């Protein structure tokens, strides 16, 4: 096997010092770096001719960076098909990392038993079985980490913020001992736009169906609904249907919702999750209701699984690819210490970037004028 080409070899071939080769490799320029254009080109030609590849360990020793970005997922998201909820996030992360010349490292050896709720509970209702910090944590291998998942462990966030780790959450997160850097979806604006649209269509009794928390994404949806003048919040419940109508267990809350919609004289409802909207649509029609004739509806999110998508349902479209893309951009800027507009004061005197990206509305056919 041929010997690996080194910087010393490149220096000898081009008649320059090894320090000059290093400066060219790291694209260093400026008043303190004086390399003639023809010398720089000679080094670049030698690198291209020999197929030289920089030793990542050596580059880390010089720059303190290895251009590896970690991706930590709180739920299993790989492998992911194009129909999966996480696929667009991953596409955006991969595309931008490739453009920036960064490799991605997926952290998977982190399965731990973590309590749901309490001190170990996740910001989205419990972290399940994964934690970043454990006895064999390898988070330090990467220059920084992207957090991806609906459930994020609160203890992890507190430690990441407190210890000054470079990280970005995909999805808005509440403060954890200080502001959390994130790229999220602007749910309040999207939901408010749907409420306003329903008002324009003549609906005055509009309901919000869902928990409204504690997950930040759910709280944001409910906040947008209330700010725009939404009428009634109907949280999930397990009210039983009539004894002669026994649906599958996972559909029990739907009959309570249908009864409440009738009782509250609602003519339009916004459902926190797409799956609930699809199920309520079927349950309402099974009860003999016309949708959207008797009841208009819209989903405030995307399908969470790889099942069929009903394009007739009006819904909020989350900018998932863009969120992944900008998470990489934001993380690399933080690693390199590049100032970014819109930063807020961090916990340790630095700055933290928090971005909310606009959502689009898929018009569908289930939100129409009141008859």
């Amino acid at each position: 096997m041929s010997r690996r080409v080194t910087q010393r070899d490149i220096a000898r071939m081009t008649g320059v010092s090894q320090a000059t080769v290093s400066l060219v490799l790291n694209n260093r320029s400026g008043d303190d770096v004086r390399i003639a254009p023809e010398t720089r080109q000679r080094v670049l030609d030698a690198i291209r001719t020999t197929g030289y590849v920089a030793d990542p360990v050596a580059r880390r020793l010089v720059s303190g960076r290895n251009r590896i970005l970690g991706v930590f997922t709180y739920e299993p998201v790989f492998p992911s098909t194009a129909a999966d909820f996480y696929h667009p996030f991953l596409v955006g992360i991969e595309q931008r990392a490739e453009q920036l010349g960064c490799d991605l490292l997926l952290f998977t050896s982190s399965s731990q038993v973590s309590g749901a709720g309490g001190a170990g509970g996740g910001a989205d209702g419990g972290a399940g079985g994964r934690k970043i910090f454990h006895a064999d944590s390898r988070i330090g291998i990467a220059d920084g980490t992207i957090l991806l998942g609906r459930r994020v462990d609160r203890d992890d966030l507190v430690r990441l913020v407190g210890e000054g780790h470079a990280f970005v959450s995909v999805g808005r997160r509440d403060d954890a001992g200080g502001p959390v850097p994130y790229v999220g979806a602007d749910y309040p604006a999207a939901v408010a736009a749907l409420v306003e649209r329903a008002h324009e269509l003549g609906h005055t009794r509009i309901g919000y169906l869902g928990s409204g928390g504690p997950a930040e994404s759910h709280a944001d949806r409910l906040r947008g609904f209330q700010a725009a003048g939404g009428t009634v919040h109907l949280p999930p419940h397990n009210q039983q249907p009539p004894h002669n109508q026994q649906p599958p267990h996972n559909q029990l809350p739907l009959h309570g919702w249908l009864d409440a919609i009738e009782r509250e004289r609602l003519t339009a409802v916004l459902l926190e999750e797409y799956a609930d909207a699809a199920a309520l649509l079927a349950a309402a029609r099974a009860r003999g209701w016309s949708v959207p004739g008797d009841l208009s509806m819209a989903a405030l999110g995307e399908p969470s699984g790889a099942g069929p998508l009903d394009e007739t349902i009006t819904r909020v479209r989350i900018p998932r690819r863009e969120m992944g893309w900008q998470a990489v951009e934001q993380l690399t800027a933080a690693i390199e210490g590049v100032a970014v507009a819109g930063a807020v004061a961090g916990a340790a005197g630095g700055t933290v970037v928090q971005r909310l990206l606009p959502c689009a509305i898929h018009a569908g056919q289930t939100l129409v004028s009141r008859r």
Side-chain angles (χ1 to χ4, degrees):
M1 180 179 293
S2 60
R3 182 176 64 85
R4 179 191 181 101
V5 177
T6 67
Q7 287 189 24
R8 182 177 298 176
D9 296 327
I10 300 296
R12 187 171 55 250
M13 290 172 59
T14 56
V16 301
S17 68
Q18 189 173 338
T20 298
V21 175
S22 178
L23 291 172
V24 173
L25 277 169
N26 289 284
N27 198 29
R28 291 283 302 279
S29 61
D31 295 338
D32 60 334
V33 178
R34 298 179 181 274
I35 302 176
E38 57 271 18
T39 301
R40 185 182 294 272
Q41 188 59 53
R42 190 164 70 251
V43 172
L44 291 173
D45 290 342
I47 291 170
R48 184 166 52 252
T49 300
T50 60
Y52 170 81
V53 177
D55 184 338
V57 175
R59 292 193 68 174
R60 181 172 175 82
L61 290 174
V62 172
S63 66
R65 305 278 184 262
N66 58 18
R67 303 196 69 77
I68 293 177
L69 305 180
V71 179
F72 185 91
T73 66
Y74 279 94
E75 296 105 43
V77 299
F78 288 85
S80 182
T81 69
D84 287 335
F85 178 77
Y86 289 107
H87 183 263
F89 293 114
L90 300 172
V91 168
I93 290 171
E94 181 182 30
Q95 288 178 342
R96 190 55 178 148
E98 182 178 11
Q99 286 189 359
L100 294 173
C102 296
D103 289 311
L104 296 174
L105 175 62
L106 176 65
F107 293 110
T108 57
S109 62
S110 54
S111 294
Q112 297 286 313
V113 176
S114 173
D124 275 359
R130 291 185 175 182
K131 289 180 68 68
I132 292 175
F133 297 103
H134 55 90
D136 196 28
S137 175
R138 299 181 180 91
I139 189 174
I141 296 175
D143 296 330
T145 305
I146 295 170
L147 306 185
L148 182 62
R150 291 192 170 196
R151 299 170 181 264
V152 173
D153 187 90
R154 186 74 180 176
D155 290 344
D156 281 348
L157 283 179
V158 170
R159 186 166 174 182
L160 286 166
V161 170
E163 296 181 0
H165 291 272
F167 78 101
V168 174
S169 169
V170 176
R172 188 188 74 78
R173 302 297 168 190
D174 291 329
D175 282 8
V180 175
Y182 60 72
V183 178
D186 193 351
Y187 290 116
V191 176
L194 276 174
V195 174
E196 291 165 5
R197 176 60 177 156
H199 282 145
E200 292 170 357
L201 292 171
H203 298 279
T204 58
R205 300 286 294 173
I206 305 169
Y208 179 100
L209 279 60
S211 64
E216 290 93 341
S217 60
H218 292 171
D220 288 349
R221 289 169 165 98
L222 180 58
R223 188 169 69 253
F225 174 80
Q226 294 171 333
T231 311
V232 177
H233 174 206
L234 300 175
H237 52 80
N238 287 319
Q239 179 177 332
Q240 296 286 340
H243 70 278
N244 61 340
Q245 299 178 21
Q246 186 64 34
H249 176 72
N250 63 359
Q251 292 185 20
L252 291 180
L254 299 178
H255 288 267
W257 271 342
L258 290 174
D259 292 341
I261 288 168
E262 200 166 32
R263 183 176 63 252
E264 297 287 347
R265 296 176 290 109
L266 302 179
T267 61
V269 292
L270 307 182
L271 291 103
E272 201 168 69
E273 296 289 346
Y274 172 87
D276 286 338
L280 188 70
L281 174 63
R285 287 175 173 169
R287 189 175 280 200
W289 295 6
S290 169
V291 179
D294 298 322
L295 178 69
S296 281
M297 65 170 58
L300 304 181
E302 306 272 15
S304 58
L309 174 63
D310 187 345
E311 293 288 359
T312 68
I313 297 177
T314 302
R315 72 180 191 278
V316 169
R317 297 185 63 182
I318 305 168
R320 292 174 288 175
R321 175 185 169 277
E322 292 77 7
M323 288 168 67
W325 177 290
Q326 290 204 27
V328 171
E329 200 163 77
Q330 184 170 315
L331 179 60
T332 54
I335 291 169
E336 300 298 334
V338 176
V340 178
V344 300
T351 59
V352 168
V353 178
Q354 299 177 329
R355 294 176 177 168
L356 291 179
L357 306 185
C359 300
I361 303 297
H362 172 73
Q365 302 169 18
T366 57
L367 182 61
V368 300
S369 297
R370 184 184 178 189
R371 291 180 179 178

